Amino acid sequence: MVKTKRLCTLLCRLMALGATVSAAIVMATSHEKANFYSVSFEAKYSHTPAFKYFVIANAIVSVYGVLVLFLPSESLLWRLVVALDVVFTLLLTSSVSAALAIAQVGKHGNSYAGWLPICGQVPNYCGHVKGALVAGFIGVILYALLILYSIHTVLDPLLLRKN
Amino acid sequence: MVKTKRLCTLLCRLMALGATVSAAIVMATSHEKANFYSVSFEAKYSHTPAFKYFVIANAIVSVYGVLVLFLPSESLLWRLVVALDVVFTLLLTSSVSAALAIAQVGKHGNSYAGWLPICGQVPNYCGHVKGALVAGFIGVILYALLILYSIHTVLDPLLLRKN
């Protein structure tokens, strides 16, 4: 039973690592050149601070995800990992939602502010960004589940166990 | 000692409640009319999906913050509160960073996407949004501290206690 649970957590961590690594790579490789009324312009993730933050945050969480995999299962440091999980999940959440907010403006524009949508001109770039956001979102969900599972194991918040 | 700790947590929760309530109110009351080249336009929080999300998220977390204050200190439901704290802090974090990303475009624009800054035309609106973001950010920090403190109390992640 304990072994199955440990395997599930490990699997969850591996999937979360895959999600954050692919989110960072897909976002970092997103660029497209387009011509708009004979003006050539390039869409690149590094032109938007929120997307740069997204790549950096996902890279940091990926490094953390790799390091955690090397921690022996009997180490007392797993208690610290619960706290670190919270910190890195908050980092990941903030980066995904900042990038999502900008992507929403890129797709639909904001007529009140006079910001035009750009996805019509650079559809491939927008597709790339969308893929990265989906991967990042999966990473957030998996890390949130890991935290809630840790809390469930330690605290029994739903009071399922009889004392 | 236990009483002092409980008082600190209560104080932290009260401050967090104050922060989220004021963030929601300040954002919701932010609007300004301006004339730009003889075209009159109104800047309002409801024109931006990220700001609407910010108001809704802060309102939800405020309601949660009020409800938690009524929980008796000896209730076993405090274990559930740790899990709920995590969920609502993630909600709050995502709303603050989405609003921050949009506010950054509003202030500095994005020359690559052709999005012009609007804060020059509606400085009071931008000031309001800034105030709301600061309050929301304080709320996030306080809730993050509450979670880390809960984990510290239950798990001793820094291994300070001798077993």
Side-chain angles (χ1 to χ4, degrees), chain B residues 20 38 40 47 58-59 68 70 78 86 91 94 100 111 123 134 161:
Chain B
T20 52
S38 80
S40 161
H47 293 165
N58 273 284
V68 164
F70 288 103
W78 276 107
V86 170
L91 177 72
S94 73
L100 194 65
S111 55
V134 169
R161 276 170 240 147

Side-chain angles (χ1 to χ4, degrees), chain A residues 2-18 65-73 78 81 85 142-143 146 149-150:
Chain A
V2 174
K3 239 185 175 173
T4 323
K5 278 183 183 172
R6 218 169 257 168
L7 205 71
C8 279
T9 331
L10 183 70
L11 206 71
C12 202
R13 281 194 187 276
L14 277 174
M15 286 196 297
L17 177 62
V66 170
L67 290 179
V68 165
L69 290 180
F70 288 103
L71 201 62
S73 59
W78 277 107
V81 167
D85 273 355
L142 288 171
Y143 270 109
L146 280 169
Y149 180 70
S150 302

Side-chain angles (χ1 to χ4, degrees), chain B residues 37-60:
Chain B
Y37 292 124
S38 80
V39 180
S40 161
F41 77 100
E42 194 184 7
K44 240 178 126 175
Y45 87 96
S46 57
H47 293 165
T48 310
F51 291 171
K52 269 200 269 186
Y53 175 51
F54 180 87
V55 172
I56 294 168
N58 273 284
I60 291 173

Side-chain angles (χ1 to χ4, degrees), chain A residues 105 108-117, chain B residues 48 102 105-106 109 114-118:
Chain A
V105 177
H108 298 287
N110 188 326
S111 55
Y112 300 101
W115 300 336
L116 296 173
Chain B
T48 310
I102 298 297
V105 177
W115 300 335
L116 297 173
I118 59 156

Side-chain angles (χ1 to χ4, degrees), chain A residues 42-58:
Chain A
E42 195 185 6
K44 239 179 126 175
Y45 86 97
S46 56
H47 292 164
T48 309
F51 291 171
K52 269 200 270 185
Y53 174 51
F54 180 88
V55 171
I56 294 168
N58 272 283

Side-chain angles (χ1 to χ4, degrees), chain A residues 26-33 42-45 124-125 128:
Chain A
V26 172
M27 183 63 98
T29 55
S30 65
H31 63 97
E32 188 178 11
K33 280 187 182 164
E42 195 185 6
K44 239 179 126 175
Y45 86 97
N124 286 336
Y125 173 69
H128 250 250

Side-chain angles (χ1 to χ4, degrees), chain B:
Chain B
M1 192 64 184
V2 175
K3 239 184 176 174
T4 323
K5 277 182 183 173
R6 217 168 258 168
L7 204 71
C8 280
T9 330
L10 182 71
L11 205 71
C12 202
R13 281 193 188 276
L14 276 173
M15 286 196 298
L17 176 63
T20 52
V21 167
S22 44
I25 291 174
V26 171
M27 183 63 97
T29 54
S30 65
H31 62 97
E32 187 178 11
K33 280 187 181 163
N35 292 303
F36 190 53
Y37 292 124
S38 80
V39 180
S40 161
F41 77 100
E42 194 184 7
K44 240 178 126 175
Y45 87 96
S46 57
H47 293 165
T48 310
F51 291 171
K52 269 200 269 186
Y53 175 51
F54 180 87
V55 172
I56 294 168
N58 273 284
I60 291 173
V61 176
S62 299
V63 171
Y64 166 71
V66 171
L67 291 179
V68 164
L69 290 181
F70 288 103
L71 199 63
S73 59
E74 61 275 7
S75 168
L76 280 175
L77 282 176
W78 276 107
R79 299 181 185 182
L80 186 60
V81 166
V82 179
L84 290 177
D85 273 355
V86 170
V87 173
F88 285 109
T89 307
L90 289 178
L91 177 72
L92 205 60
T93 308
S94 73
S95 80
V96 171
S97 44
L100 194 65
I102 298 297
Q104 194 272 339
V105 177
K107 181 145 194 185
H108 298 287
N110 187 326
S111 55
Y112 300 101
W115 300 335
L116 297 173
I118 59 156
C119 279
Q121 278 80 51
V122 281
N124 286 336
Y125 173 68
C126 282
H128 250 248
V129 170
K130 199 177 171 183
L133 284 174
V134 169
F137 193 70
I138 292 172
V140 167
I141 296 289
L142 288 171
Y143 269 109
L145 287 179
L146 279 169
I147 295 174
L148 292 178
Y149 180 70
S150 301
I151 292 174
H152 168 76
T153 314
V154 178
L155 274 176
D156 182 31
L158 297 174
L159 309 173
L160 299 171
R161 276 170 240 147
K162 281 172 196 150
N163 291 322

